Amino acid sequence: YRAPVRVLPHIWEPTFLDAAVAEMPEGMTFGYQPGTGKRRISVFEPNINIVKTCVVPLLAIEHAYRRTPALVGDVYITNAIELKEHEFFRSFAGNLDIVRTGLTSFEARYNTPFFLAKFTDVVVSHQWENALNYAYYDALYGDYPLVHNSDMLPDGVGYRYSGFDARDAGTLLSAVLVTHDANAVGYRARANDFLATVRATAPANIAAYARAVERLFQERGLHADEG
């Protein structure tokens, strides 16, 4: 379209997440809960194409299970109802210990806050050249341990592994299962500090968008208060 492109901050607000949490049944709690023993692991990738799929997370969880089987509980792969009917995917997944032992279930699409609250202790994610993701922010907002490969999250926000390295991700996941609760306070503080920078109400973000709107009007020979 030969239109000018402007880079603006990625913004997020917990408005809709808070609304979903407010509608949860009594007794359901959104937010990470420390605990011992087996931890439930969820994957929320859409599984539409290679950009965001559950393949690397499955391999990572498998590696973690082989290293620390006593700490891996139920594994939930969401957005995977159609995927599990694919012959080659069934062949791949069916050879994983976490599938053969019945730990893993392949689920439909769910309301993320609900699924976090009801079924999740740890989130494992993977992306390819799509490193900005509101699902990360939702998980961090709830203090859930997030194992990810996004270089757009600052160091220390979530737990980062490298690229497509499922072994690295699995080793990291094992460490998270063992040590996260001892580090939860610092983890929460770093996540909250980061989330403050992406809020739509953050002064820097307001200023950036205000400048962009003003520039748009100037380029068209208008004033911002017109119209």
Side-chain angles (χ1 to χ4, degrees):
Y1 294 104
R2 298 179 176 84
V5 175
R6 311 294 187 193
V7 178
L8 289 168
H10 195 235
I11 58 174
W12 168 89
E13 281 289 324
T15 306
F16 298 109
L17 191 153
D18 287 340
V21 170
E23 295 174 354
M24 289 180 181
E26 185 176 353
M28 186 180 295
T29 302
F30 176 79
Y32 175 74
Q33 302 296 316
T36 59
K38 295 181 182 295
R39 308 300 278 162
R40 302 162 301 171
I41 303 170
S42 293
V43 178
F44 296 109
E45 304 312 324
N47 295 310
I48 296 173
N49 53 48
I50 195 172
V51 170
K52 295 178 182 178
T53 77
C54 65
V55 173
V56 171
L58 274 169
L59 291 172
I61 299 166
E62 173 77 358
H63 184 61
Y65 178 69
R66 295 181 183 185
R67 289 173 57 93
T68 50
L71 297 180
V72 176
D74 293 331
V75 177
Y76 298 100
I77 310 298
T78 66
N79 309 309
I81 287 294
E82 295 183 2
L83 190 61
K84 74 174 185 178
E85 301 303 324
H86 193 286
E87 177 182 357
F88 292 108
F89 183 80
R90 288 204 310 270
S91 177
F92 155 67
N95 283 293
L96 301 176
D97 291 346
I98 56 173
V99 175
R100 286 197 300 238
T101 56
L103 288 177
T104 303
S105 63
F106 297 91
E107 305 290 342
R109 191 174 186 86
Y110 282 91
N111 174 293
T112 302
F114 172 86
F115 210 92
L116 285 166
K118 189 170 179 62
F119 298 109
T120 306
D121 298 307
V122 181
V123 177
V124 179
S125 180
H126 182 264
Q127 54 75 37
W128 183 32
E129 298 296 336
N130 199 201
L132 294 173
N133 191 334
Y134 292 124
Y136 298 160
Y137 304 164
D138 291 351
L140 293 170
Y141 185 65
D143 300 330
Y144 293 93
L146 171 67
V147 179
H148 67 89
N149 70 330
S150 172
D151 58 6
M152 298 297 287
L153 292 180
D155 292 343
V157 175
Y159 298 95
R160 184 190 298 126
Y161 62 92
S162 175
F164 284 77
D165 193 336
R167 183 180 296 273
D168 181 31
T171 301
L172 179 59
L173 175 57
S174 287
V176 169
L177 295 173
V178 173
T179 66
H180 175 77
D181 285 0
N183 302 313
V185 174
Y187 178 91
R188 181 184 304 113
R190 291 189 297 273
N192 288 341
D193 287 347
F194 165 70
L195 290 176
T197 70
V198 298
R199 295 287 294 263
T201 52
N205 293 335
I206 293 173
Y209 278 85
R211 287 194 300 270
V213 171
E214 181 67 28
R215 182 171 55 199
L216 177 65
F217 276 85
Q218 289 174 351
E219 289 172 350
R220 283 157 178 73
L222 302 171
H223 296 286
D225 56 357
E226 291 184 24

